[in-house]
Amino acid sequence: MTKLKNDEYETELARLHLELVKLQDWVKAQGLRVVVLFEGRDAAGKGGVIKRITEPLNPRVCKVAALGTPTEREKTQWYFQRYVAHLPAAGEIVLFDRSWYNRAGVEHVMGFCTEQEYWEFLRAAPEFERLLIRSGMTLVKYWFSVSDEEQEKRFHERIADRTKRWKISDMDLEARRRWNEYSKAKDEMFAHTDVEDSPWWVVDADSKKRARLNCISHLLSLIPYEDVHPPKLSLPPREPADPDYQRPPLDSQRWIPEKY
């Protein structure tokens, strides 16, 4: 596969960004509720795709849910409970940077849940998602697939680059060691949760740029939308200067140093 040139990538991304804005306006106008899950291997590029989706959008409409380790209280709740709190209201899109499928992956492989909890999750997840869909939500699930070789390359890049070092944790390194166990867990998860009404869509993520464009394009294709053509805006004239208003001197304010 030939490498995607930067100008081609930027041109297509700009076009898709415009379509994402149209989708956002349609979601808001129609009061839709959209949920998108992003799962996959560590360093597969989920965060990069999420960043490109949210870049042109209103953060009050399109929100990212990236939940941390559950608290002691949350551990005693119904498993899906803390995720429910982040589901969208009317006119909102929520992107889950990892989701309730933590239980089928890291929690199962690392032993953070019991076997009973694991198998109960695999039985319950499709039913939970059917409830969301029946309530009127649009649910989309993406799995980002990256090859062994490409993942190792990206891990080395993160280790070497101080600005990316935060992206790799001890858990990621342990997951790397347990590659085969994660593969088996993914296969089991798909066997139980890749169902007709809430299927898994797999993204080939060995090329970050192609993965971003392909995923955004596919997401747009799944949600019918129209261009609502927002009303034209014009700047109103500024009110006349107030002769009785005297601005304080500029040197009375704390200005940052101009280093550049």
Side-chain angles (χ1 to χ4, degrees), residues 28 41 77 101 194 202 222:
K28 188 174 181 181
R41 294 282 191 178
Q77 294 175 343
Y101 282 98
D194 183 22
V202 181
L222 292 181

Side-chain angles (χ1 to χ4, degrees), residues 151-240:
Q151 187 193 50
E152 184 166 359
K153 174 187 171 185
R154 293 178 188 178
F155 274 178
H156 282 299
E157 289 175 352
R158 291 180 176 186
I159 290 172
D161 187 343
R162 180 65 184 273
T163 64
K164 296 180 179 179
R165 178 63 181 80
W166 63 271
K167 293 184 177 182
I168 190 165
S169 66
D170 292 340
M171 191 69 69
D172 296 332
L173 297 176
E174 181 62 19
R176 169 70 185 164
R177 189 179 70 81
R178 303 192 188 194
W179 176 275
N180 291 330
E181 293 179 57
Y182 271 91
S183 295
K184 294 175 184 177
K186 177 256 183 181
D187 293 343
E188 195 70 59
M189 181 184 80
F190 268 48
H192 286 80
T193 64
D194 183 22
V195 295
E196 193 64 32
D197 44 6
S198 58
W200 281 104
W201 296 100
V202 181
V203 181
D204 183 347
D206 269 9
S207 167
K208 290 182 180 180
K209 291 179 180 177
R210 291 184 188 277
R212 293 165 187 170
L213 298 180
N214 288 331
C215 185
I216 295 173
S217 176
H218 183 263
L219 177 62
L220 290 166
S221 75
L222 292 181
I223 308 172
Y225 65 96
E226 299 176 15
D227 189 351
V228 297
H229 296 292
K232 293 182 179 180
L233 298 177
S234 58
L235 288 176
R238 183 187 294 174
E239 62 183 1

Side-chain angles (χ1 to χ4, degrees), residues 38 57 146 217 251:
F38 294 85
L57 302 183
V146 65
S217 176
D251 58 9

Side-chain angles (χ1 to χ4, degrees), residues 43-166:
K46 299 179 294 295
V49 173
I50 292 171
K51 183 182 293 185
R52 271 67 187 186
I53 292 174
T54 59
E55 194 173 19
L57 302 183
N58 183 342
R60 294 180 179 84
V61 175
C62 183
K63 305 175 182 181
V64 178
L67 279 61
T69 304
T71 64
E72 290 303 314
R73 181 176 182 274
E74 287 173 333
K75 290 177 182 178
T76 68
Q77 294 175 343
W78 175 50
Y79 177 71
F80 296 99
Q81 188 168 337
R82 72 188 191 118
Y83 295 99
V84 169
H86 295 272
L87 293 174
E92 293 180 349
I93 303 168
V94 175
L95 312 178
F96 277 91
D97 186 354
R98 296 204 180 278
S99 65
W100 45 87
Y101 282 98
N102 275 338
R103 174 138 293 178
V106 62
E107 289 191 19
H108 172 58
V109 174
M110 296 298 182
F112 297 153
C113 67
T114 66
E115 281 295 298
Q116 181 180 354
E117 289 171 331
Y118 168 66
W119 289 109
E120 174 56 26
F121 170 81
L122 292 180
R123 286 190 293 267
E127 290 301 322
F128 172 66
E129 291 165 10
R130 289 187 187 103
L131 287 173
L132 300 183
I133 294 167
R134 285 205 302 271
S135 76
M137 289 190 193
T138 298
L139 175 64
V140 183
K141 303 188 302 191
Y142 286 116
W143 176 269
F144 283 71
S145 178
V146 65
S147 66
D148 189 357
E149 297 77 18
E150 182 62 24
Q151 187 193 50
E152 184 166 359
K153 174 187 171 185
R154 293 178 188 178
F155 274 178
H156 282 299
E157 289 175 352
R158 291 180 176 186
I159 290 172
D161 187 343
R162 180 65 184 273
T163 64
K164 296 180 179 179
R165 178 63 181 80
W166 63 271

Side-chain angles (χ1 to χ4, degrees), residues 249-257:
L250 294 179
D251 58 9
S252 69
Q253 302 171 41
R254 295 180 177 85
W255 295 78
I256 65 168

